[in-house]
Amino acid sequence: MAFSGSGGPSSGVVYENFSLSNYGPAAVPTSEATAFTVNRPTQVRSLRVMNPTAGSLDVTLYLVPSGGSAGAGNVLTLQTLATKTSAEICVSGCPIVMEAGDSIHALGSGAGLLLFASIFTEK
């Protein structure tokens, strides 16, 4: 991994060794599925789930290693989001460091959940 230090501010600035991209809004599926896969060393600097629906919904996110599958051993979060709320998933766990082929999988208990991420990817 060639990240040298803590990265930089969360902005649209392109740095010499890595660049920032944003993912989402993307619908969280009601059957466990891959939300995104990285193809080179990456730091997830922000990961947020939003519930704009009229009812509470559960969300489960997984950090799945390359070639692996989602399961109890790689749960990032399992929580209930009340109606019209959002949750920052990696407040104290950021950055989430991912290697090539690693992925974030998602599962929602009902339709309507949205996933957002800010990602620094090595060039």
Side-chain angles (χ1 to χ4, degrees):
M1 166 101 31
F3 289 113
S4 58
S6 64
S10 182
S11 68
V13 176
V14 176
Y15 295 88
E16 186 174 326
N17 295 324
F18 55 94
S19 61
L20 172 69
S21 60
N22 292 307
Y23 170 83
V28 173
T30 56
S31 296
E32 180 267 314
T34 303
F36 61 87
T37 302
V38 300
N39 58 11
R40 58 177 72 96
T42 298
Q43 290 183 7
V44 177
R45 301 303 291 251
S46 173
L47 189 59
R48 177 173 291 278
V49 179
M50 182 175 138
N51 178 10
T53 71
S56 293
L57 292 172
D58 297 330
V59 63
T60 307
L61 297 178
Y62 305 87
L63 175 59
V64 179
S66 180
S69 59
N74 53 22
V75 171
L76 275 175
T77 190
L78 168 57
Q79 60 184 281
T80 300
L81 276 75
T83 184
K84 312 258 189 265
T85 62
S86 65
E88 183 69 33
I89 303 306
C90 61
V91 173
S92 62
C94 274
I96 298 170
V97 177
M98 299 173 70
E99 298 295 335
D102 292 352
S103 58
I104 299 286
H105 289 223
L107 168 64
S109 64
L113 292 170
L114 299 172
L115 180 64
F116 301 82
S118 291
I119 303 166
F120 281 97
T121 304
E122 184 178 282
K123 289 183 180 181

